[in-house]
Amino acid sequence: DANLNASSTSDSCLHVACSRGDEALATILIEAQANLTRTDRSGNTPIDAAHRSGYESMARRLKQIAARVERRQNESAAREGSRGGSFSGGLPSIDLASTPRSRDVSPRPTTAPSPAAVNGPGPGPG
């Protein structure tokens, strides 16, 4: 479930990803239908968490995504309502990292594991 609490403060996993500026994780959670408007115990949304943590450009992109999602949900609900059905649409595919941006904070370096860590120490002396 993309909306599980990540801590005793009632932060969702998306709150945590946004407060850390982790755009890759935020993208995965949003695609898994994490709720962008869910509030924590203090009444803050994941967008607020990004903003409070200094990830201004991420917060702006999340606001744009939330507006698109809401618009699509309203359009789908209106279409379904005219047919007597119920809304069951998913979220659009979203990639925060592909959006041009000015980073508020330097990106975290990523390193691949060494071949020895993946394959083991290798053959011994012959």
Side-chain angles (χ1 to χ4, degrees):
D1 181 0
N3 292 302
L4 288 175
N5 284 352
S7 68
S8 61
T9 61
S10 72
D11 290 350
S12 68
C13 294
L14 186 57
H15 280 90
V16 174
C18 292
S19 69
R20 295 180 180 175
D22 191 334
E23 294 184 4
L25 180 56
T27 299
I28 290 167
L29 292 168
I30 292 167
E31 288 178 348
Q33 299 186 7
N35 186 342
L36 282 162
T37 59
R38 179 178 173 174
T39 57
D40 62 13
R41 195 178 325 179
S42 301
N44 297 308
T45 67
I47 296 167
D48 297 329
H51 177 72
R52 279 192 339 265
S53 299
Y55 298 99
E56 299 298 330
S57 59
M58 183 179 185
R60 282 191 300 273
R61 286 190 305 283
L62 289 169
K63 284 181 186 179
Q64 293 168 349
I65 291 166
R68 281 196 320 244
V69 168
E70 183 176 1
R71 187 171 49 250
R72 287 182 183 177
Q73 288 175 340
N74 290 339
E75 290 169 357
S76 293
R79 282 193 304 272
E80 291 296 325
S82 67
R83 289 185 264 165
S86 62
F87 175 72
S88 61
L91 294 176
S93 178
I94 299 163
D95 184 5
L96 289 174
S98 70
T99 307
R101 66 189 186 279
S102 60
R103 269 303 274 214
D104 300 289
V105 181
S106 62
R108 294 182 185 150
T110 57
T111 57
S114 67
V118 174
N119 300 323

